[in-house]
Amino acid sequence: MFERARLRYQHGAHSPTAGRVSAFPETIPELLAWRAASVASRDAAWLFFEDRTWTLADVVTSVDQVAAGLAERGVVYGDRVAVLLGNRPDTLFAWFGANRIGAIFAPLNPALTPFEIAGLLRLMKARVLVVDQHEALAHAACALLDANDRPTFVTPDTLGRSGTNAPQVDVHADDVAVLLATSGTTGVPKAVMQTHRTYTLTAEALPWWLGLTNADRVLVALPLFHINAQAYSTMGALGAGASLALLPKFSASRFWDDARRLGATQVNAVGAIVHILMKSEPRANDRDHRVCTCYTALALPEAQHRAFEERFGVALTVGYGMSETTFGTVWPRDEAPRYGSMGRLRQHPRLGEINRARVVRDDGTDANDDETGELWLANPATMRGYWGDDAQTRAVLADGWLRTGDLVRRDADGFFTFVSRKKEVIRRRGENVAAAEIEAAILAHPDVREAAAIGVPSELGEEEIVAYVAPHPGGTIDVDALRAWLRDRLADFKVPSAIHVRDALPRTATERIAKHLLR
């Protein structure tokens, strides 16, 4: 199987969209309707979840019912529909149903605390919150809000009883389709405004980047509140005419059994998943599945990359993208792997070279080949900005360029290599975590005078969070009590794995905490 996967990865058939001259749908509702109307899609199962399946016709019916239910509750064009459901078909139906009437899908991470969810709801000012098994969490979050900021609660089942009489709404390519919650460097929650155009451009291009066809089945192991599962998995499957298999959550012990049971042929992963799978106990049936390719954002050293491929019988390919743009870089399919690199710029199979890059020094000039600088990108699959935050938007979007905050090197062949993050965001368990957010929570504890959070290398390939704290003069800090305090205020993946107490934290000449001296 591994040799077949390798051949497919390097020389696989192009996407059905390659070489197209006709227009591709420009909005998510148009894309869903277009794909559902295709002859090959009419009777075949498209969505697989646990022991149930849905054809695209079934999906369209459910989407129309949700759209009608939202409209009955006063949701109109531009309103935000917050969704706290986790990985399940109802999340997809709520997403597409909101977009069907011009509303904005705002998925929330069920692992967040009530404090964090309240902050996002306050920011987004959602009209409704779709929730059921997480209702207690939602109520706890809304109890922290003013009456004017509290959304109306509704369950998926209730939405599905409204018929299919949703109003016809004109939705445009550059309308905001999704708000993606992300950590900001200031510790204040941010929401990326992603457009219909970003999703449909990705739907058309990703099959070409990865070699997906309508014979594939894409396994969604990542959370649906992330851009990867939304744009690369869900939109990629629609663009290719492939089917979609949805997991409630990633489990290393069940992953390959789930992939085998669901008939998956392709999966997208974050770096932590790749490392977790490699660290799992070897099994005789590690290669007994149909998965041919695994796309990951993690560029491994050659020996580790090959070890993963040999053990699991898949071709591992690498790319770079972010919530702010899905058009980053990717390994070219028709070239030998360039181990350790992020690949070349992603382009479009029909529109050609629509993605440009600069590698920029601190003084704003362009870096030379093999010199480190910040990656700037310019392409039409870029966010509109951060919801309600013009200052942060101006800080990263200027003169048509997106300043990624990531330091890279570009070689003479146009291949990029990731160096580090310029902005102070820690990457842990597939999540971006702002150090400032953790520090603000620590400093709220009455015994803490100073705090600093840093990322340190993790055995899982990303980072672990380590905090350094200092007490008030003459005081002490109970680390166990502080950790319990943080667990009430931060999601588990944001709580530091280690907390060190110091009499005082080192400072720079300008009185900033010298984090480089803490490592």
Side-chain angles (χ1 to χ4, degrees), residues 284-308:
N285 62 350
D286 274 345
R287 295 162 62 104
D288 181 18
H289 54 77
R290 295 178 55 207
V291 177
C292 292
T293 58
C294 175
Y295 166 82
T296 176
L298 177 68
L300 293 168
E302 180 176 356
Q304 293 180 32
H305 187 113
R306 287 182 175 274
F308 183 92

Side-chain angles (χ1 to χ4, degrees), residues 193-413:
M193 295 187 286
Q194 267 304 359
T195 68
H196 288 266
R197 188 183 303 279
T198 289
Y199 287 98
T200 56
L201 284 173
T202 308
E204 189 174 8
L206 186 130
W208 182 58
W209 298 334
L210 300 186
L212 291 181
T213 73
N214 59 11
D216 279 299
R217 182 164 302 155
V218 179
L219 183 65
V220 181
L222 298 175
L224 284 170
F225 52 80
H226 274 188
I227 189 71
N228 191 309
Q230 294 172 11
Y232 295 152
S233 295
T234 306
M235 292 292 109
L238 282 173
S243 52
L244 194 73
L246 180 62
L247 293 180
K249 63 180 180 179
F250 168 76
S251 166
S253 63
R254 298 195 306 269
F255 179 77
W256 295 111
D257 292 334
D258 287 337
R260 183 183 310 108
R261 174 177 55 83
L262 293 167
T265 64
Q266 193 272 343
V267 64
N268 299 329
V270 294
I273 285 180
V274 173
H275 278 290
I276 289 169
L277 290 174
M278 280 298 289
K279 288 178 177 293
S280 64
E281 191 70 24
R283 298 165 61 181
N285 62 350
D286 274 345
R287 295 162 62 104
D288 181 18
H289 54 77
R290 295 178 55 207
V291 177
C292 292
T293 58
C294 175
Y295 166 82
T296 176
L298 177 68
L300 293 168
E302 180 176 356
Q304 293 180 32
H305 187 113
R306 287 182 175 274
F308 183 92
E309 292 185 324
E310 291 293 342
R311 175 175 170 183
F312 297 112
V314 304
L316 191 64
T317 188
V318 175
Y320 164 89
M322 54 197 308
S323 298
E324 288 82 352
T325 180
T326 54
F327 272 62
T329 62
V330 70
W331 279 10
R333 286 195 299 121
D334 57 354
E335 298 183 30
R338 187 75 68 97
Y339 298 106
S341 85
M342 299 156 50
R344 287 200 184 102
L345 287 177
R346 302 180 195 258
Q347 302 298 352
H348 195 273
R350 176 171 55 87
L351 301 175
E353 295 189 5
I354 63 172
N355 194 18
R356 297 179 294 141
R358 293 177 62 194
V359 180
V360 182
R361 302 186 183 101
D362 287 341
D363 63 5
T365 60
D366 289 321
N368 297 319
D369 288 346
D370 299 316
E371 181 183 358
T372 297
E374 183 183 6
L375 177 62
W376 292 13
L377 295 169
N379 61 67
T382 298
M383 68 169 183
R384 288 262 299 269
Y386 297 111
W387 181 267
D389 197 335
D390 292 340
Q392 284 289 329
T393 297
R394 288 192 298 270
V396 300
L397 290 178
D399 301 322
W401 291 98
L402 169 68
R403 302 177 181 185
T404 68
D406 289 324
L407 299 177
V408 302
R409 293 190 302 272
R410 177 175 52 194
D411 67 19
D413 295 328

Side-chain angles (χ1 to χ4, degrees), residues 475-496:
T476 60
I477 295 175
D478 183 332
V479 170
D480 290 337
L482 177 56
R483 192 183 303 280
W485 167 277
L486 294 176
R487 286 202 169 114
D488 285 339
R489 288 159 175 79
L490 297 172
D492 283 345
F493 62 81
K494 297 179 184 178
V495 175

Side-chain angles (χ1 to χ4, degrees), residues 108-131:
L108 303 175
N109 181 354
L112 299 179
T113 68
F115 291 93
E116 294 165 311
I117 290 179
L120 289 168
L121 291 173
R122 189 179 296 114
L123 171 69
M124 297 172 176
K125 297 190 183 302
R127 179 175 287 274
V128 301
L129 174 59
V130 185
V131 64

